[in-house]
């Protein structure tokens, strides 16, 4: 069984929070993450073509990454998500990944295990079908980070 | 049939009167009045929200409405099937629903999931179950009241009723036997033709092959809904299903989609709005048919013909 020790600090803290709760409380926490997902900055709001859709999500979810300039290989990766208010579960997943991964280095993000979403303990309450959306979101972020790292090296 | 003592009065209006079963729909105005006069709070009328998104109800719902989730509440956890009679009785009772309750269901996405829940209620023969025309989006668009308060309904009295699938549910074998009679494919045109819609690096989940069941007419489910999420008028639905799809009165019809949810919406329109007696929803739908061994499919925009050469 994977433990939170393998995860970046912020993400490990989120996973610990979820695991400490009962199932209904976990759903409530996911709802809070959906409410806490930051808005897109203006420059991305006006350019939807800069975001990619994660089609595995049940509801429209778009994301992109940027690497902070001048950082070299350890430059901080910034994450941006867009999902409608009518899709709180999808927004909640995005909120968890944003709070857990935004600002980390490419290496830290790439080290997150692909099955990390299972650690949240939501699979039964949310169902495996819906959890696939979050796994796909993480996978897409990692692919984009890997691609941007390859370009720079 | 014996009259239902507990049944809540049926809404009368001109639009609904044109449908075959006007008693299956209620409007947002009608429901708002029922909330206002205390019928929902007293449990005389049970309002159920059923959405695709499992957290949407928690963001705010119609006052007094309870939540039923299509996946966690209505699907069996291990078998690809619906819950059994005992589980349904427990679910209903826990939501304050009795066998003779009038239940009004509403949800997101033009009632796509609400229609699915209504179809499952019908598998158990629940008699008085209605849809809120326009669903959650219309209620919100009209600025009507929402709350995050969770109701704590008094337990309902619900017997264990065996599901009766045959009248409204088709299995793969039923569909094979049905070939030659009308089928409605309610998926998007891209799913119907079998055209790939995603980039190769992001494999589409679901089916090994793309296309449709031979002879199926393509009528995407959302065409039965107006922009505000309400059902199209009788006249418009007649033009769509009798005209474009070519159905005739008395036809035995099977509708399908990917997993049987979108086709529940079409099933509702055919069964209750147009009055087709025999309409079945094939819930195995494309995730079963598109993966099954030695069943015929047709690719492209043509409906195709039956019989077709199988297994050659």
């Amino acid at each position: 069984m994977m433990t939170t020790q393998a995860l970046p600090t912020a993400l490990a803290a989120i996973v610990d929070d979820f695991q400490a709760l009962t199932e209904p409380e976990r759903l409530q926490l996911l709802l809070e993450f959906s409410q806490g997902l930051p808005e897109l900055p203006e420059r991305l709001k006006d350019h939807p073509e800069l975001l990619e859709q994660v089609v595995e999500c049940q509801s429209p979810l778009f994301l992109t990454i940027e690497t902070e300039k001048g950082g070299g290989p350890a430059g901080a990766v910034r994450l941006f998500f867009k999902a409608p208010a009518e899709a709180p579960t999808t927004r909640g997943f995005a909120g968890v990944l944003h709070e857990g991964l935004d600002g980390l280095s490419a290496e830290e993000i790439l080290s997150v295990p692909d099955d990390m979403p299972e650690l949240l303990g939501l699979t039964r309450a949310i169902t495996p079908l819906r959890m696939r959306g979050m796994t796909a979101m993480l996978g897409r972020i990692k692919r984009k980070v890997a691609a941007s790292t390859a370009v720079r090296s | 049939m014996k009259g239902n003592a507990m049944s809540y009065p049926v809404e009368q209006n001109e639009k609904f009167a044109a449908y075959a079963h006007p008693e299956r729909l209620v409007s947002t105005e009608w429901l708002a009045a029922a909330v206002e006069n205390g019928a929902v709070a007293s449990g005389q009328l049970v309002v159920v929200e059923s959405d695709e998104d499992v957290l949407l109800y928690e963001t705010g719902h119609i006052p007094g409405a309870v939540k039923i989730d299509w996946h966690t509440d209505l699907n069996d956890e291990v078998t690809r099937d619906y819950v059994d009679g005992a589980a349904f009785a427990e679910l209903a009772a826990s939501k304050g629903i009795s066998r003779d309750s009038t239940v009004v269901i509403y949800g997101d996405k033009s009632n796509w999931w609400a229609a699915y829940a209504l179809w499952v209620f019908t598998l158990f023969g629940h008699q008085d179950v209605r849809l809120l025309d326009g669903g959650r989006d219309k209620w919100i668009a009209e600025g009507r009241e929402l709350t995050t308060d969770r109701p704590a309904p008094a337990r309902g009295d619900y017997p264990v009723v065996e599901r009766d699938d045959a009248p409204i549910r088709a299995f793969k074998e039923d569909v094979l036997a049905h070939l030659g009679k009308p089928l409605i494919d309610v998926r998007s045109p891209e799913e119907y033709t079998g055209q790939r819609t995603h980039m190769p690096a992001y494999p589409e989940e679901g089916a090994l092959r793309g296309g449709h069941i031979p002879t199926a007419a393509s009528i995407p489910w959302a065409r039965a809904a107006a922009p505000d999420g309400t059902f199209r008028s009788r006249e418009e639905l007649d033009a769509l299903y009798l005209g474009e799809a070519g159905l005739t009165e008395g036809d035995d019809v099977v509708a399908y989609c990917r997993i049987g949810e979108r086709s529940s919406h079409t099933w509702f329109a055919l069964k209750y709005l147009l009055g087709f007696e025999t309409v079945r929803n094939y819930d195995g739908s494309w995730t079963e048919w598109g993966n099954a061994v030695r069943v015929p499919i047709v690719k492209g925009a043509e409906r195709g013909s039956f019989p077709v050469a199988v297994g050659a």
Side-chain angles (χ1 to χ4, degrees):
Chain A
M1 180 67 191
M2 183 181 24
T3 68
T4 56
Q5 287 163 7
L7 298 176
T9 317
L11 194 57
I14 294 170
V15 168
D16 286 340
D17 286 347
F18 271 96
Q19 289 187 349
L21 298 172
T22 63
E23 232 168 49
E25 292 168 338
R26 286 174 190 167
L27 285 177
Q28 196 57 40
L29 182 57
L30 190 65
L31 186 63
E32 285 164 24
F33 273 103
S34 83
Q35 291 154 350
L37 182 68
E39 288 271 307
L40 285 179
E42 291 300 325
R43 63 194 160 79
L44 286 176
K45 254 186 202 164
D46 298 338
H47 290 280
E49 75 280 4
L50 296 176
L51 297 145
E52 279 183 25
Q53 181 169 11
V54 180
V55 295
E56 293 89 341
C57 294
Q58 282 188 321
S59 306
L61 181 280
F62 297 85
L63 64 81
T64 193
I65 64 159
E66 288 176 3
T67 306
E68 300 239 351
K69 297 276 185 290
V77 177
R78 307 306 308 267
L79 306 179
F80 302 93
F81 298 91
K82 186 183 134 198
E86 310 83 66
T89 303
T90 300
R91 282 183 67 86
F93 292 155
V96 167
L97 292 174
H98 186 269
E99 188 166 320
L101 300 177
D102 184 55
L104 298 186
S105 70
E107 290 70 19
E108 287 171 305
I109 291 175
L110 292 175
S111 76
V112 175
D114 293 339
D115 55 359
M116 180 286 290
E118 289 170 28
L119 286 177
L120 297 174
L122 285 164
T123 307
R124 225 176 65 110
I126 297 274
T127 74
L129 180 75
R130 287 162 168 152
M131 286 306 294
R132 279 214 292 271
M134 183 168 183
T135 308
M137 228 183 275
L138 175 62
R140 181 69 69 92
I141 291 165
K142 289 176 67 175
R143 273 202 296 276
K144 287 184 73 69
V145 169
S148 77
T149 310
V151 168
R152 284 181 296 119
S153 57
Chain B
M1 183 151 298
K2 192 160 79 69
N4 192 334
M6 290 271 292
S7 197
Y8 200 81
V10 167
E11 178 172 4
Q12 313 283 341
N13 69 45
E14 201 180 333
K15 181 195 173 192
F16 294 171
Y19 296 134
H21 294 278
E23 74 279 8
R24 293 292 176 175
L25 283 176
V26 306
S27 67
T28 48
E29 295 79 8
W30 184 94
L31 184 58
V35 169
E36 187 68 25
N37 75 23
V40 177
S42 70
Q44 212 186 342
L45 190 68
V46 181
V47 181
V48 172
E49 176 160 339
S50 214
D51 299 315
E52 175 172 62
D53 193 298
V54 70
L55 282 178
L56 196 51
Y57 169 91
E58 280 76 4
T59 67
H61 51 263
I62 295 177
V66 294
K67 165 186 171 180
I68 290 185
D69 183 66
W70 67 278
H71 210 312
T72 56
D73 291 325
L74 298 177
N75 281 9
D76 187 273
E77 208 171 338
V78 283
T79 309
R80 183 172 173 187
D81 200 357
Y82 301 99
V83 292
D84 63 14
F88 185 77
E90 175 52 35
L91 171 70
S94 73
K95 302 291 178 185
I97 299 169
S98 296
R99 186 65 173 165
D100 57 2
S101 294
T102 296
V103 178
V104 172
I105 311 184
Y106 74 98
D108 59 351
K109 307 196 168 177
S110 306
N111 279 330
W112 157 358
W113 300 94
Y116 188 62
L118 184 144
W119 179 73
V120 175
F121 270 69
T122 309
L123 289 175
F124 289 98
H126 191 93
Q127 210 164 29
D128 191 359
V129 54
R130 315 177 189 179
L131 275 187
L132 173 66
D133 199 25
R136 180 182 167 93
D137 290 347
K138 184 159 193 278
W139 182 273
I140 291 173
E142 292 168 346
R144 298 187 188 277
E145 191 184 353
L146 292 174
T147 179
T148 53
D149 294 343
R150 280 169 173 278
R155 223 180 133 74
D157 181 12
Y158 215 96
V160 174
V161 181
E162 283 314 307
R163 240 178 34 221
D164 184 12
D165 289 341
I168 61 166
R169 184 181 187 193
F171 294 100
K172 189 183 97 194
E173 295 69 28
D174 301 324
V175 178
L176 280 166
H178 180 86
L179 287 178
K181 289 188 243 172
L183 282 156
I184 306 282
D185 183 319
V186 316
R187 299 172 301 158
S188 63
E190 293 75 22
E191 290 170 284
Y192 179 85
T193 58
Q195 175 197 330
R196 282 194 67 89
T197 53
H198 303 147
M199 290 173 284
Y202 309 112
E204 190 177 351
E205 58 190 46
L208 290 170
R209 295 172 303 157
H212 57 269
I213 300 177
T215 74
S218 169
I219 305 284
W221 72 279
R223 293 186 61 196
D228 67 356
T230 56
F231 280 102
R232 297 262 177 203
S233 69
R234 176 68 188 258
E235 197 180 347
E236 290 168 317
L237 293 179
D238 278 343
L240 193 57
Y241 295 106
L242 303 183
E244 198 173 324
L247 298 181
T248 49
E249 204 180 320
D251 270 347
D252 171 2
V253 190
V254 169
Y256 71 94
C257 57
R258 195 177 64 86
I259 58 170
E261 11 66 294
R262 285 173 285 180
S263 44
S264 300
H265 187 272
T266 299
W267 169 84
F268 183 91
L270 293 174
K271 175 99 180 159
Y272 294 130
L273 306 185
L274 298 188
F276 284 89
E277 284 287 323
T278 313
V279 188
R280 286 173 295 167
N281 180 24
Y282 170 37
D283 59 279
S285 275
W286 198 255
T287 53
E288 178 178 45
W289 196 273
N291 287 317
V293 176
R294 298 190 100 185
V295 300
I297 71 162
V298 173
K299 288 177 177 292
E302 297 303 318
R303 291 184 186 180
S305 58
F306 180 82
V308 289
V310 180

